[in-house]
Amino acid sequence: IEVGERYRILAEEVGVEFSLEVEDACPWAYSNADRIEQVLVILLDNAIKFTPEGKCVSIRAKWDDEKIYVSVADEGAGISAVDLPRLFERFYKSDKARSGMGTGLGLSIAHEVLEKLDENIWVETQEGNGSTFTFTLKRLERRETPENDGMPC
């Protein structure tokens, strides 16, 4: 949530709307907070960079009994089907017109970080209708003890 709030300001500075859709009852995750922040920063940087002024970037969180699913969605141009198989490769840039912007390492780093944490990342996209990158986080098991009165650890 803290990362999202920082990016709300950045998005507004470039004329992009920002939405943070996380319910108060979101469960705790078992992961490396610094690495997950790194992944979120990569995804949010890309989303804001490729979203036109007046369009929206959003962060959403949903969960089931085992995983939390964090999504960063944008209303940009989307990603070509030709580019999808190589999207998480090092130095790969799908938008050749923006060749001067970035190194093409961000998504590969996000993929490697999540892989090392035994998590997954994927993208859903449609050319002309934006992209949604989703990654998983393991839910922290709820342990009910007198010390924590049944609250998540």
Side-chain angles (χ1 to χ4, degrees):
I1 292 177
E2 293 171 14
V3 174
E5 289 305 324
R6 287 195 312 253
Y7 271 82
R8 176 184 310 278
I9 295 166
L10 178 63
E12 290 171 356
E13 286 176 358
V14 295
V16 172
E17 294 178 34
F18 189 85
S19 171
L20 181 60
E21 302 168 25
V22 181
E23 295 179 25
D24 290 336
C26 186
W28 290 76
Y30 180 76
S31 195
N32 181 318
D34 291 335
R35 294 303 114 218
I36 297 307
E37 180 174 344
Q38 181 182 20
V39 169
L40 274 171
V41 164
I42 290 166
L43 295 178
L44 287 167
D45 277 344
N46 283 348
I48 291 170
K49 179 174 24 176
F50 293 108
T51 298
E53 188 174 341
K55 297 289 188 172
C56 186
V57 168
S58 64
I59 301 174
R60 296 181 190 101
K62 296 182 180 186
W63 53 89
D64 60 25
D65 291 339
E66 296 179 15
K67 297 278 187 179
I68 301 169
Y69 302 89
V70 180
S71 299
V72 175
D74 68 61
E75 294 179 345
I79 301 164
S80 155
V82 172
D83 293 318
L84 282 175
R86 300 189 62 199
L87 197 61
F88 294 105
E89 288 180 15
R90 288 181 181 209
F91 305 111
Y92 186 74
K93 294 181 182 185
S94 63
D95 189 347
K96 309 305 184 242
R98 295 180 184 235
S99 61
M101 297 179 68
T103 60
L105 285 172
L107 290 176
S108 69
I109 290 170
H111 184 268
E112 286 179 28
V113 164
L114 290 164
E115 193 173 68
K116 289 192 183 311
L117 294 171
D118 197 27
E119 299 293 357
N120 296 308
I121 185 170
W122 63 92
V123 62
E124 296 170 64
T125 187
Q126 185 176 19
E127 263 188 283
N129 289 322
S131 303
T132 301
F133 286 84
T134 302
F135 63 91
T136 60
L137 297 171
K138 290 175 198 69
R139 283 185 61 167
L140 183 65
E141 289 184 34
R142 183 177 165 150
R143 296 188 181 101
E144 295 187 30
T145 65
E147 294 84 38
N148 66 20
D149 197 28
M151 299 301 291
C153 297

